[in-house]
Amino acid sequence: KLTKSFIVGTGAASTPTPVGVTTVSYKLKAGWTTGTYTVRPVVGFYPGTGYAFHSRLCYPGTSTEYDFSSGYPVSHGCVRMKHNDINWIYNNVPQLQTPIFSVFPESIGVFLLQNSVYIINILSCTATINSHHDNVIRHFIRIFRKCNWLSL
């Protein structure tokens, strides 16, 4: 059963979100701040890397977004989410317990299904039904058709 779904911005073609299976490795409520942006909260995945779910880009030291990118590949590999969405992930996806399946590079959707998180690309999922995730992908295609997100 689908628990939650989000439209997100993931890694651009030159800096894709990694594909594979991992877990939530850390959580930072305060997030990250640089000289050009703040993102918060941060929910890291792929231990030992900087890959994470986080908010869209905000002005440094604030929660005021200036980059509203969602629904297409845009980041350096992280998964950018709307504030309410990343807060939901932060509050509801346990650290080190929930499997995260990043099924396609350049993904634009994050879905929680049967206590697992799937990062997938709703624009190319029909072309790549050949992995061990076939049943999950077929399930998403049915959902996309029902929601008119994908006309197949």
Side-chain angles (χ1 to χ4, degrees):
K1 180 181 179 210
L2 183 69
T3 306
K4 198 87 168 154
S5 64
F6 311 101
I7 298 296
V8 300
T10 56
S14 60
T15 54
T17 301
V19 174
V21 179
T22 185
T23 62
V24 171
S25 52
Y26 63 91
K27 293 182 175 186
L28 299 171
K29 188 70 172 170
W32 300 326
T33 297
T34 72
T36 56
Y37 67 83
T38 291
V39 291
R40 63 177 160 222
V42 169
V43 177
F45 59 96
Y46 287 105
T49 73
Y51 294 110
F53 297 97
H54 58 68
S55 69
R56 296 182 293 190
L57 304 182
C58 299
Y59 292 104
T62 75
S63 293
T64 305
E65 293 179 338
Y66 69 82
D67 182 346
F68 301 97
S69 304
S70 284
Y72 58 93
V74 65
S75 76
H76 288 110
C78 287
V79 178
R80 295 183 188 176
M81 305 179 77
K82 295 177 184 177
H83 279 289
N84 288 343
D85 298 344
I86 183 55
N87 283 314
W88 193 94
I89 293 283
Y90 183 88
N91 291 323
N92 293 284
V93 176
Q95 190 169 328
L96 302 176
Q97 294 177 14
T98 304
I100 299 173
F101 299 92
S102 184
V103 183
F104 305 110
E106 300 180 43
S107 301
I108 61 172
V110 171
F111 300 86
L112 280 75
L113 179 71
Q114 297 175 349
N115 299 318
S116 296
V117 177
Y118 291 84
I119 306 169
I120 70 170
N121 184 341
I122 64 173
L123 301 179
S124 65
C125 59
T126 55
T128 52
I129 297 178
N130 59 10
S131 72
H132 68 280
H133 298 290
D134 286 358
N135 290 334
V136 171
I137 295 165
R138 282 185 173 84
H139 178 76
F140 287 134
I141 291 171
R142 285 192 299 274
I143 292 168
F144 301 150
R145 284 180 178 154
K146 186 175 182 180
C147 297
N148 292 320
W149 294 345
L150 189 65
S151 50
L152 300 172

